[in-house]
Amino acid sequence: MRALLASLAISAGLYLVIVALAYSFQRSLLYFPDQTVLTEMELKDAGLSAVNIAAEGSGELLSFWRAPTDKTKPVILHFHGNGGSLAMRLSIYQALAQDGAGVLAVGYPGYGGNPGSPSEDAFYAAAQAHYDWLIINGHSADKIVIAAQSLGTGVATWLASRNEAAGLILEAAYTGMDDMAQRQFPILPAKLLIKDRYRSLNRIDQVEMPLSWIHGTNDELIPFAMGQKLFDAAKEPKISHPIKGGGHNDLWMRGIDALVRKDAQDFVAGR
């Protein structure tokens, strides 16, 4: 009996250590920033330019910008996922601008050489700062389309719940990062421990604009059913684009850029 109790005590102690480590280092398990900084010439060759936008708590953030070709075109405010940086997604921003749309690709705190550290509050502050920058520079809310991938969908949903825009486009969206954490670490009380929750499910019904949801039916990271749950909770008008056989990281290779461009233009045109 003593040996059994001792074994249980050791196991419990190890479990508590694992829980403590997971809590302490959780942001290292959530954010995977790349620090690549492109030269001015590299950006110019891609048809983009660098802009510095001040965000509360982080400072001047380097982001990528391309102006719309005319006033009938949408301006897409884009939030990427938790890994890499803007530099790794040049082809995405070029594709978004293909029909003349404007693109403001948001540089996150702690990513791509930017100051600050990644966190939910820091990302929200950056999102609001970039939206405000567009408004200040003459781009009206009815021309702005908020778009995002993966982790960025939580940031985009927060922004859309607090501001006006022509529409919201979510790619591989989730209900909340607490739900995702519990899915990834089922033996831990991850849902209770996580700091950065991004609870989109609690906000999606506050979004007063058209919604487009794009999700791979075989998404191995964020289940299609989770995205469906978020979509079902959203108000009309809304449209879904299930990508048959699509995973988490291959949707752009499957041509979803055409969907994003069309929905963005339709939102701005009021269709």
mmCIF file of all heavy atoms in Angstrom, residues 254-271:
data_model
loop_
_atom_site.group_PDB
_atom_site.id
_atom_site.type_symbol
_atom_site.label_atom_id
_atom_site.label_comp_id
_atom_site.label_asym_id
_atom_site.label_seq_id
_atom_site.Cartn_x
_atom_site.Cartn_y
_atom_site.Cartn_z
ATOM 1 N N ARG A 254 -5.153 25.347 -53.589
ATOM 2 C CA ARG A 254 -6.388 24.852 -54.195
ATOM 3 C C ARG A 254 -7.212 25.981 -54.819
ATOM 4 O O ARG A 254 -8.353 25.765 -55.229
ATOM 5 C CB ARG A 254 -7.217 24.099 -53.152
ATOM 6 C CG ARG A 254 -6.574 22.794 -52.687
ATOM 7 C CD ARG A 254 -7.344 22.183 -51.522
ATOM 8 N NE ARG A 254 -6.765 20.914 -51.099
ATOM 9 C CZ ARG A 254 -7.136 19.719 -51.535
ATOM 10 N NH1 ARG A 254 -8.125 19.633 -52.421
ATOM 11 N NH2 ARG A 254 -6.565 18.626 -51.101
ATOM 12 N N GLY A 255 -6.652 27.185 -54.837
ATOM 13 C CA GLY A 255 -7.277 28.275 -55.566
ATOM 14 C C GLY A 255 -8.311 29.092 -54.824
ATOM 15 O O GLY A 255 -9.179 29.707 -55.462
ATOM 16 N N ILE A 256 -8.234 29.137 -53.490
ATOM 17 C CA ILE A 256 -9.254 29.906 -52.775
ATOM 18 C C ILE A 256 -9.087 31.416 -52.958
ATOM 19 O O ILE A 256 -9.974 32.189 -52.575
ATOM 20 C CB ILE A 256 -9.282 29.578 -51.266
ATOM 21 C CG1 ILE A 256 -8.001 30.066 -50.573
ATOM 22 C CG2 ILE A 256 -9.532 28.108 -51.020
ATOM 23 C CD1 ILE A 256 -8.139 30.135 -49.068
ATOM 24 N N ASP A 257 -7.957 31.845 -53.536
ATOM 25 C CA ASP A 257 -7.781 33.286 -53.758
ATOM 26 C C ASP A 257 -8.919 33.850 -54.611
ATOM 27 O O ASP A 257 -9.362 34.986 -54.400
ATOM 28 C CB ASP A 257 -6.427 33.579 -54.409
ATOM 29 C CG ASP A 257 -6.223 32.843 -55.714
ATOM 30 O OD1 ASP A 257 -6.221 31.596 -55.690
ATOM 31 O OD2 ASP A 257 -6.050 33.508 -56.751
ATOM 32 N N ALA A 258 -9.407 33.074 -55.550
ATOM 33 C CA ALA A 258 -10.511 33.535 -56.396
ATOM 34 C C ALA A 258 -11.781 33.722 -55.573
ATOM 35 O O ALA A 258 -12.540 34.688 -55.790
ATOM 36 C CB ALA A 258 -10.754 32.540 -57.528
ATOM 37 N N LEU A 259 -12.028 32.821 -54.626
ATOM 38 C CA LEU A 259 -13.179 32.952 -53.738
ATOM 39 C C LEU A 259 -13.080 34.213 -52.898
ATOM 40 O O LEU A 259 -14.048 34.960 -52.739
ATOM 41 C CB LEU A 259 -13.292 31.740 -52.817
ATOM 42 C CG LEU A 259 -13.696 30.404 -53.413
ATOM 43 C CD1 LEU A 259 -13.654 29.316 -52.344
ATOM 44 C CD2 LEU A 259 -15.094 30.497 -54.002
ATOM 45 N N VAL A 260 -11.895 34.436 -52.326
ATOM 46 C CA VAL A 260 -11.696 35.598 -51.467
ATOM 47 C C VAL A 260 -11.890 36.885 -52.252
ATOM 48 O O VAL A 260 -12.576 37.814 -51.804
ATOM 49 C CB VAL A 260 -10.300 35.554 -50.811
ATOM 50 C CG1 VAL A 260 -10.052 36.828 -49.992
ATOM 51 C CG2 VAL A 260 -10.153 34.325 -49.917
ATOM 52 N N ARG A 261 -11.307 36.959 -53.431
ATOM 53 C CA ARG A 261 -11.436 38.166 -54.250
ATOM 54 C C ARG A 261 -12.894 38.423 -54.634
ATOM 55 O O ARG A 261 -13.384 39.557 -54.571
ATOM 56 C CB ARG A 261 -10.566 38.071 -55.504
ATOM 57 C CG ARG A 261 -9.072 38.165 -55.256
ATOM 58 C CD ARG A 261 -8.320 38.459 -56.552
ATOM 59 N NE ARG A 261 -8.598 37.496 -57.601
ATOM 60 C CZ ARG A 261 -7.923 36.361 -57.771
ATOM 61 N NH1 ARG A 261 -6.927 36.028 -56.961
ATOM 62 N NH2 ARG A 261 -8.221 35.535 -58.772
ATOM 63 N N LYS A 262 -13.590 37.360 -55.040
ATOM 64 C CA LYS A 262 -14.986 37.520 -55.456
ATOM 65 C C LYS A 262 -15.856 37.962 -54.302
ATOM 66 O O LYS A 262 -16.670 38.901 -54.433
ATOM 67 C CB LYS A 262 -15.528 36.217 -56.037
ATOM 68 C CG LYS A 262 -16.980 36.329 -56.532
ATOM 69 C CD LYS A 262 -17.503 35.021 -57.077
ATOM 70 C CE LYS A 262 -18.904 35.206 -57.672
ATOM 71 N NZ LYS A 262 -19.886 35.758 -56.693
ATOM 72 N N ASP A 263 -15.717 37.312 -53.145
ATOM 73 C CA ASP A 263 -16.544 37.671 -52.001
ATOM 74 C C ASP A 263 -16.233 39.092 -51.527
ATOM 75 O O ASP A 263 -17.145 39.844 -51.184
ATOM 76 C CB ASP A 263 -16.338 36.682 -50.848
ATOM 77 C CG ASP A 263 -17.009 35.342 -51.110
ATOM 78 O OD1 ASP A 263 -17.821 35.257 -52.053
ATOM 79 O OD2 ASP A 263 -16.739 34.392 -50.367
ATOM 80 N N ALA A 264 -14.974 39.458 -51.537
ATOM 81 C CA ALA A 264 -14.600 40.821 -51.131
ATOM 82 C C ALA A 264 -15.249 41.852 -52.056
ATOM 83 O O ALA A 264 -15.808 42.853 -51.592
ATOM 84 C CB ALA A 264 -13.085 40.976 -51.124
ATOM 85 N N GLN A 265 -15.186 41.610 -53.362
ATOM 86 C CA GLN A 265 -15.786 42.540 -54.320
ATOM 87 C C GLN A 265 -17.303 42.570 -54.174
ATOM 88 O O GLN A 265 -17.932 43.626 -54.242
ATOM 89 C CB GLN A 265 -15.398 42.168 -55.738
ATOM 90 C CG GLN A 265 -15.804 43.210 -56.794
ATOM 91 C CD GLN A 265 -15.147 44.549 -56.586
ATOM 92 O OE1 GLN A 265 -13.919 44.668 -56.595
ATOM 93 N NE2 GLN A 265 -15.946 45.592 -56.381
ATOM 94 N N ASP A 266 -17.912 41.402 -53.961
ATOM 95 C CA ASP A 266 -19.368 41.343 -53.773
ATOM 96 C C ASP A 266 -19.797 42.094 -52.520
ATOM 97 O O ASP A 266 -20.814 42.799 -52.506
ATOM 98 C CB ASP A 266 -19.828 39.892 -53.693
ATOM 99 C CG ASP A 266 -19.842 39.181 -55.041
ATOM 100 O OD1 ASP A 266 -19.676 39.876 -56.075
ATOM 101 O OD2 ASP A 266 -19.990 37.954 -55.060
ATOM 102 N N PHE A 267 -19.027 41.966 -51.452
ATOM 103 C CA PHE A 267 -19.370 42.663 -50.209
ATOM 104 C C PHE A 267 -19.345 44.175 -50.424
ATOM 105 O O PHE A 267 -20.262 44.887 -49.985
ATOM 106 C CB PHE A 267 -18.377 42.291 -49.096
ATOM 107 C CG PHE A 267 -18.512 40.885 -48.588
ATOM 108 C CD1 PHE A 267 -17.460 40.295 -47.887
ATOM 109 C CD2 PHE A 267 -19.655 40.147 -48.798
ATOM 110 C CE1 PHE A 267 -17.566 39.007 -47.403
ATOM 111 C CE2 PHE A 267 -19.776 38.845 -48.322
ATOM 112 C CZ PHE A 267 -18.723 38.280 -47.630
ATOM 113 N N VAL A 268 -18.315 44.666 -51.084
ATOM 114 C CA VAL A 268 -18.178 46.100 -51.315
ATOM 115 C C VAL A 268 -19.282 46.602 -52.265
ATOM 116 O O VAL A 268 -19.800 47.723 -52.114
ATOM 117 C CB VAL A 268 -16.778 46.425 -51.891
ATOM 118 C CG1 VAL A 268 -16.717 47.823 -52.454
ATOM 119 C CG2 VAL A 268 -15.729 46.236 -50.803
ATOM 120 N N ALA A 269 -19.678 45.763 -53.229
ATOM 121 C CA ALA A 269 -20.722 46.134 -54.189
ATOM 122 C C ALA A 269 -22.121 45.977 -53.613
ATOM 123 O O ALA A 269 -23.107 46.341 -54.257
ATOM 124 C CB ALA A 269 -20.571 45.311 -55.458
ATOM 125 N N GLY A 270 -22.219 45.390 -52.415
ATOM 126 C CA GLY A 270 -23.515 45.192 -51.791
ATOM 127 C C GLY A 270 -24.283 44.010 -52.335
ATOM 128 O O GLY A 270 -25.502 43.909 -52.159
ATOM 129 N N ARG A 271 -23.556 43.069 -52.958
ATOM 130 C CA ARG A 271 -24.224 41.884 -53.506
ATOM 131 C C ARG A 271 -24.257 40.755 -52.476
ATOM 132 O O ARG A 271 -23.381 40.650 -51.655
ATOM 133 C CB ARG A 271 -23.483 41.398 -54.760
ATOM 134 C CG ARG A 271 -23.564 42.387 -55.911
ATOM 135 C CD ARG A 271 -23.121 41.739 -57.200
ATOM 136 N NE ARG A 271 -21.688 41.478 -57.239
ATOM 137 C CZ ARG A 271 -20.784 42.327 -57.738
ATOM 138 N NH1 ARG A 271 -21.171 43.499 -58.230
ATOM 139 N NH2 ARG A 271 -19.517 42.040 -57.737
#
